[in-house]
Amino acid sequence: MALFGTLGEKLNHVFSKITKKGTLTDLEIKNAMREIKLVLLEADVNYLVVKDFIAKVTEKSTGERVMKSLTPGQQIIKIVNEELTALMGSTNAKLTVASKPPTVIMMCGLQGAGKTTMCGKLAKMLKKQGKKPMLVACDIYRPAAINQLKTIGKSVDVEVYDEGTAKPEKTSLNAIKYADKKGYDTVIIDTAGRLQINEELMTELQNIKKAVNPSEILLTVDAMIGQESVNVATTFNEKLDITGVILTKLDGDTRGGAALSIRAVTGKPIKFCGVGEKMDDIEPFYPDRMASRILDMGDVLSLIEKAQANYTEEEARKLEKKMRENSFTLDDYLVQFEQLKKMGSISDILAMLPGSNKLKLNENAIDEKQLAKNKAIIQSMTKKERQDPDGIKGSQKKRIATGSGTTIQDVNILLKQFSQSRELMKQFNGKKKGGLAGMRLPF
Amino acid sequence: MGIFSKFFGALKKTKDAISKKISQIFVGELDDDFYEELEYVLVSSDLSVEASSEIVEEVKKLAKKNKVKTEEDFKKLLRQAMTDILTLDEDEDTYPTLYTIVGVNGVGKTTAIGKMAHYYKSHKKSVLMVAGDTFRAAASDQLTEWSKRAGTRIVKYGEGVDPGAVVYDGIHSAIAKHDDVVLVDTAGRLHNKVGLMEELKKISKIISKEWSDRVQTYLVIDATTGQNALQQVEMFNEIMPLDGIILTKLDGSSKGGVVFAIAKKYGIPIKFVGVGEGIDDLEPFNAKEFVENIV
Ligand SMILES: Nc1nc2c(ncn2[C@@H]2O[C@H](COP(=O)(O)OP(=O)(O)O)[C@@H](O)[C@H]2O)c(=O)[nH]1
Ligand SMILES: [Mg+2]
């Protein structure tokens, strides 16, 4: 169970033994699902949720026809990604407004999840939308928590109501009366962080809820949370019937599998994300982005879509045949360059590829000037030279360099790259690796 | 019930959970299905897939070799394998020592400092707190409250001040007063924020320049954290070599299993565990007991 590479790579490995396209077989799906299972677990998706999800996707994939323009691996990624996105719901950054103001929003969550900061962000966002929000400090336990909210309130220019360490349900009730009198239309209640297993403190939240009847009860969860996300979300939801979830600290590099777990066990929408320490760092939740983040595959799906649109089946088949026959020439290399250009800039494509955030991209590989140069070099060759690059001699190289406005060194580099690519293809052929025509980059 | 009583309490649920899960899957044959399920059980406690599968491979071998039949014998093997991972070489505490407490936002750094202050004071050490979090709203108020509770001195400035300046003054105050323990609080920062990590590097430079005695840097990890904890260790360790981990919020239902991967990969020992929000809810780490209370 070695853990390396991205999902894309792993799946390619799984599918390296498949030569024919057609429908996905049970064994192929089983092997692919094993990899996907690992990826999800590493992303902190709860293991029970993973099991469920895998069962669902397996069912979906069984008998699925592999689209001509995709490799089986890509086909699976496509299904997984679609399923994951669908599971996470739609973008839903709307807050319910009470029929009679003020609208009450109650925050809750574990210690250190980021509730207090999020209160400030929500207040600022609401202000921008023309609302008149007020904040209420109900964290009476953590030292200086009330001061923290006051400082935040000042920075976003929103009034903070507090009654020191009085009982939170009393404070919040009075706060609402106060807001009503002062003409505030939205009241955001900050509460102390608490463990969901702490009965006493969970009762306190229920009491606040009873006292103020909030339109929104938002569970704030640190995106770095692990397997416990399920227990936390389930308990808060059971006790309070939350209306939505906020994920914080998504500006970190966590994969954020909790998003999937929480959504799966509560069915409640994820409404906002915290993406930084500044008061403007709040975003709506985008299910599709979250799905690719969890799968660590960048926007691989849009890449797949682009490839589908641009790479005709005909071209793909021709190339595959050439690879099989080891008759790949510089002409084909040129076609590949053109292909890449059609699909968008190379750096765009590489950025979309799985794992590219971790990968230190080889600068040469993404240099579009280099691409143009290579094109010019190939175009300056005779037909014979393109068919048989190995036979190109020193004097010919000089001519090609002059013709393409490059140097002999450039020509050498290209020839070397080409022969490496060809070598690579031979290896694939040796392993009878099929279906690689679609996306494989010739570098 | 000894000094670990709270710790036991905190971990009991965990133990029940894992132990019960193992009992559920322990139905006769120790076959592949059993081991696959066991791996899930470990993963469900935030052990990384890699650590889990290595532990499973190890006990599988041992179970076969020792012809293990009973559930209790099997659990014993498992416990041993897990304890071995967490048992690391550590050097003795000497004084004076300056501890820098680092970590991402909200993990419990400031609280840990409050508790550590109390811990060292009860071991007859003189303690100074340095309010190096000048970023978060009211952070120094929070630490001040802890210094009152623990009855220790504190060096602090207002918000927005260069943390390096606070650290500098704190160190010289400690040297002048011959304090045994200096506890430096730092602002929470996500480990992938280059600018903030650079700031930490500056603080680290000031410490090594101004403080000639023993230094220790502890990374605080929230036990609810999943696999991202590994990234945190990796990045903080690069900026300030880590001497230890403080695992907080073990009073929750989280298992903190990610420390197994940390121990395996980085060999950084756990120093303390946080088991609540009270001043004495901090206990020195003990691998054997930690594991015995998980499985
Ligand atoms: N239940 C529990 N809560 C803790 C523990 N340690 C810290 N906390 C809480 O976690 C929250 C964040 O702690 P704080 O020290 O401010 O974190 P910092 O941002 O890392 O300094 C506070 O509400 C603390 O009371 C612990 O061991 N158990
Ligand atoms: Mg702090």
Side-chain angles (χ1 to χ4, degrees), chain A residues 7-8 11 73-81 297 300 304:
Chain A
L7 180 57
L11 289 180
Q74 287 166 353
Q75 181 81 29
I76 294 259
I77 291 182
K78 190 164 173 285
I79 297 169
V80 168
N81 191 63
M297 47 184 233
V300 82
I304 291 173

Side-chain angles (χ1 to χ4, degrees), chain A residues 111-112 142 195, chain B residues 104-112 115 136 142 185 248-251 274-277 281:
Chain A
Q111 291 96 336
R142 207 198 66 196
L195 296 166
Chain B
V104 301
N105 317 63
V107 287
K109 293 177 293 299
T110 308
T111 310
K115 298 173 188 171
R136 211 201 63 192
Q142 187 188 353
D185 193 13
T248 60
K249 308 187 194 175
L250 265 182
D251 47 328
V275 291
E277 296 179 89
D281 292 336

Side-chain angles (χ1 to χ4, degrees), chain B residues 159-171:
Chain B
E159 247 158 71
V161 177
D162 173 18
V166 189
V167 171
Y168 182 96
D169 286 359
I171 289 176

Side-chain angles (χ1 to χ4, degrees), chain A residues 43-100:
Chain A
D44 292 319
V45 180
N46 179 273
Y47 75 111
L48 293 171
V49 176
V50 171
K51 278 187 173 176
D52 243 36
F53 181 76
I54 292 293
K56 213 176 269 165
V57 180
T58 304
E59 205 187 295
K60 273 253 153 110
S61 312
T62 304
E64 181 90 357
R65 278 196 64 77
V66 180
M67 294 173 71
K68 286 275 164 20
S69 49
L70 296 181
T71 65
Q74 287 166 353
Q75 181 81 29
I76 294 259
I77 291 182
K78 190 164 173 285
I79 297 169
V80 168
N81 191 63
E82 280 167 5
E83 206 51 32
L84 207 55
T85 309
L87 237 173
M88 274 187 296
S90 48
T91 298
N92 183 353
K94 293 240 161 38
L95 290 168
T96 309
V97 178
S99 49
K100 182 179 164 294

